């Protein structure tokens, strides 16, 4: 059994009104996306989904897109541009099944080895926007918000003002620590503020249970604390791996995956101008694996 805070188990969203529907993200595998579309069918015919908004390009939010072939796939310019840096399903499968004994391979095998990416085809975005874009879905007004770089190199949120709901993608993780792939921890903190400034009351994170405003503020506070601590370690010339261990010891709390604090510390080090900080998916996974072990 897997928890909803485990790697790869993500939240999608549906906005449906008067025969029209917009889907926020698909799922990691085709099986999980089929289950999602079966749930959609309980609300409206799944071919009413004419738009899929990709909150970012990570596979756990996009690899089911091929099962919604009638829909345009919308994301921000920055998000679309980042897709070429993503690990593909074949590469992830190889990594997860590799018999290599190093930390990183063991970590990927443990967390991703049980997913089946057979027949996944990566579907690129078909339309992009910058800043904000308002769309009408039946009677519902939907606002797409380009959050810029934070969790990923380009994050997008979907705001439904009349319902006071925001689908935040991985700009929010609930019950688990944030992964920062982009090297911008300050971007993650800023994104929390943009989400709060919508005035929404309900926030759907990319992973984990729904959040209220206090929950989002708590995440923002935790990220700010880590940014401050990491910035101070960077200033004192503490090596990143040591800083990550110290931050894990003091900031892990009860949230799942405290090893992801490595990615937050690395992002803070990059922003502090420390040379030679590892970036890129594999280097960050190695850092997390080392911190988990
Ligand atoms: Zn995710």
């Amino acid at each position: 059994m897997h928890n909803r805070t485990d790697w790869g188990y993500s939240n999608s969203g549906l906005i449906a009104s008067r025969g029209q529907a917009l889907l926020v993200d698909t799922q990691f595998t085709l099986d999980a996306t089929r289950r999602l579309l079966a749930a959609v069918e309980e609300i409206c015919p799944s071919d009413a989904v004419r738009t899929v908004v990709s909150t970012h390009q990570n596979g756990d939010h996009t690899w089911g897109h091929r099962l919604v072939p009638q829909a345009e796939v919308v994301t921000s310019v920055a998000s679309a541009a980042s897709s070429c840096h993503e690990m593909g399903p074949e590469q992830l499968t190889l990594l997860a099944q590799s018999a290599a004994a190093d930390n990183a391979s063991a970590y990927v095998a443990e967390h991703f080895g049980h997913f089946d990416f057979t027949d996944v085809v990566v579907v690129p975005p078909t339309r992009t926007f910058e800043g904000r874009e308002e769309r009408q879905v039946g009677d519902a007004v939907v606002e797409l918000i380009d959050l810029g770089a934070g969790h990923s190199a380009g994050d997008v949120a979907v705001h439904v003002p009349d319902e006071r709901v925001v689908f935040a993608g991985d700009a929010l993780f609930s019950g688990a620590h944030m992964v920062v792939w982009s090297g911008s921890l300050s971007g993650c903190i800023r994104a929390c503020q943009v989400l709060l400034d919508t005035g929404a009351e309900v926030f759907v994170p990319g992973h984990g249970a729904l959040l209220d405003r206090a929950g989002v503020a708590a995440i923002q506070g935790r990220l700010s604390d880590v940014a401050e601590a990491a910035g101070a370690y960077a200033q004192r010339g503490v090596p990143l791996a040591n800083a990550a261990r110290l931050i894990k010891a003091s900031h892990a709390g009860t949230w799942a995956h405290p090893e992801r604090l490595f990615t937050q510390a690395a992002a803070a080090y990059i922003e502090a101008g420390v040379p030679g900080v590892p970036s890129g998916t594999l280097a960050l996974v190695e850092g997390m694996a080392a911190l988990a072990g």
Side-chain angles (χ1 to χ4, degrees):
M1 222 15 226
H2 292 275
N3 292 315
R4 54 201 305 199
T5 51
D6 286 344
W7 288 96
Y9 297 91
S10 59
N11 295 322
S12 297
L14 177 72
I15 297 151
S17 170
R18 295 189 178 272
Q20 296 182 24
L22 177 152
L23 195 60
V24 183
D25 287 340
T26 55
Q27 295 278 299
F28 209 5
T29 65
L30 297 185
D31 270 354
T33 302
R34 284 188 192 100
R35 288 194 292 276
L36 166 67
L37 293 174
V40 167
E41 284 282 346
E42 292 175 22
I43 311 286
C44 67
S46 60
D47 59 9
V49 177
R50 309 308 296 193
T51 305
V52 173
V53 176
S54 275
T55 60
H56 62 297
Q57 297 304 307
N58 286 170
D60 54 334
H61 303 259
T62 57
W63 285 356
H65 284 7
R66 75 172 296 193
L67 296 183
V68 202
Q70 75 282 3
E72 68 169 348
V73 179
V74 182
T75 197
S76 68
V77 170
S79 163
S82 75
S83 56
C84 56
H85 302 296
E86 287 292 319
M87 200 180 278
E90 302 83 6
Q91 194 188 357
L92 182 54
T93 301
L94 276 176
L95 257 182
Q97 294 174 352
S98 117
D102 60 290
N103 269 343
S105 300
Y107 186 86
V108 172
E110 177 186 349
H111 294 288
F112 295 94
H114 55 283
F115 291 108
D116 179 2
F117 302 119
T118 307
D119 295 332
V120 167
V121 174
V122 178
V123 176
T126 53
R127 221 172 59 72
T128 56
F129 74 102
E130 280 181 290
R132 300 203 178 206
E133 183 175 293
E134 208 171 88
R135 302 171 72 93
Q136 194 82 28
V137 180
D139 288 339
V141 174
V142 175
E143 183 187 30
L144 311 189
I145 304 175
D146 174 1
L147 296 169
H151 161 74
S152 77
D155 296 321
V156 170
V158 179
H159 177 213
V160 190
D162 290 343
E163 306 293 333
R164 304 188 84 175
V165 171
V166 167
F167 298 91
D170 284 0
L172 295 173
F173 281 72
S174 171
H177 288 275
M178 158 80 59
V179 195
V180 187
W181 298 117
S182 69
S184 183
L185 185 53
S186 62
C188 296
I189 296 165
R190 247 191 333 267
C192 288
Q193 195 55 51
V194 172
L195 298 175
L196 286 169
D197 288 346
T198 61
E201 299 285 349
V202 177
F203 299 84
V204 184
H207 300 265
L210 300 187
L211 294 157
D212 59 12
R213 294 183 64 80
V216 177
I219 290 167
Q220 186 184 34
R222 195 85 83 94
L223 293 171
S224 301
D225 290 347
V226 171
E228 193 179 328
Y233 289 131
Q235 203 93 60
R236 282 163 37 198
V238 177
L240 173 60
N242 298 3
R245 269 195 294 277
L246 292 165
I247 288 169
K248 186 184 168 197
S250 52
H251 292 80
T254 57
W255 292 351
H257 294 298
E259 71 276 15
R260 293 175 180 167
L261 288 165
F262 176 83
T263 68
Q264 298 181 25
Y269 267 52
I270 288 169
E271 289 188 86
V274 176
V277 175
S279 64
T281 307
L282 272 181
L284 291 170
V285 170
E286 278 168 15
M288 285 188 273
L291 193 56

